[in-house]
Amino acid sequence: MHRQHTIVDSPYGPLTLVATDGVLSGLYMTEQRHRPPEETFGEPDPRPFREAVRQLDAYHAGELTAFDLPLHLAGTPFQRSVWELLRTIPYGQTRTYGELAAALGRPTASRAVGLANGRNPIGIIIPCHRVIGASGGLTGYGGGLDRKRRLLAFESGAGTGGLF
């Protein structure tokens, strides 16, 4: 496996993008919980990230509501199923951990869904920030609750409706 990375600016602070064999495999925020050690990110090289950066810029400008990028997801089969389901949550909307567990056909697995959500390696693009607690409140977010609140407010303020 060949890994490369680049760092880009965003309204949420610097984002580290990581590619495995030329395919996006990580998007990490500063001080993110479960952020891998930097020595695992590979050599600095912005070339594999041109389209990801273009789409992130369009998202931050309010011009893009759904990402269309090939992703390299390394995780357990359950984690990957959760991450794929996260990609179906529409822009500006939220789902609860319980709703996701039910959608996976495992209605009692909301805690496991939460753990998989917290291990999402490609934040923002795989919108784990769109998952909230059963009471409708904000719960943990690997990038910090302030960033989660800001992402949800940004998306709901873009004219699509939402909770925050």
Side-chain angles (χ1 to χ4, degrees):
M1 284 193 308
H2 181 70
R3 298 191 88 182
Q4 298 159 293
H5 79 280
T6 193
I7 299 172
V8 297
D9 289 327
S10 84
Y12 310 99
L15 303 176
T16 301
L17 305 177
V18 179
T20 302
D21 296 329
V23 179
L24 187 67
S25 60
L27 184 156
Y28 303 104
M29 301 174 188
T30 56
E31 301 174 19
Q32 179 173 331
R33 188 176 344 127
H34 306 301
R35 180 184 168 107
E38 291 191 26
E39 58 268 17
T40 67
F41 293 163
E43 63 194 50
D45 185 349
R47 290 177 296 172
F49 307 101
R50 287 187 181 115
E51 182 60 15
V53 170
R54 186 193 70 73
Q55 289 190 33
L56 282 165
D57 287 346
Y59 169 81
H60 296 311
E63 301 164 355
L64 180 82
T65 59
F67 292 92
D68 182 22
L69 295 166
L71 303 176
H72 179 275
L73 296 173
T76 68
F78 181 76
Q79 287 173 327
R80 289 194 311 271
S81 69
V82 170
W83 300 335
E84 288 299 331
L85 187 57
L86 292 173
R87 296 179 78 185
T88 69
I89 303 172
Y91 181 91
Q93 295 184 26
T94 57
R95 299 290 184 272
T96 66
Y97 297 101
E99 288 171 328
L100 295 176
L104 289 170
R106 299 185 58 187
T108 61
S110 59
R111 187 173 175 87
V113 167
L115 293 171
N117 193 55
R119 293 281 185 176
N120 174 17
I122 307 177
I124 301 175
I125 292 171
I126 297 178
C128 55
H129 61 277
R130 295 179 188 157
V131 183
I132 59 173
S135 67
L138 297 184
T139 57
Y141 180 61
L145 285 180
D146 180 60
R147 281 190 185 118
K148 181 174 186 164
R149 187 176 294 107
R150 290 174 54 211
L151 282 161
L152 290 172
F154 168 73
E155 289 187 4
S156 68
T160 58
L163 300 176
F164 304 93

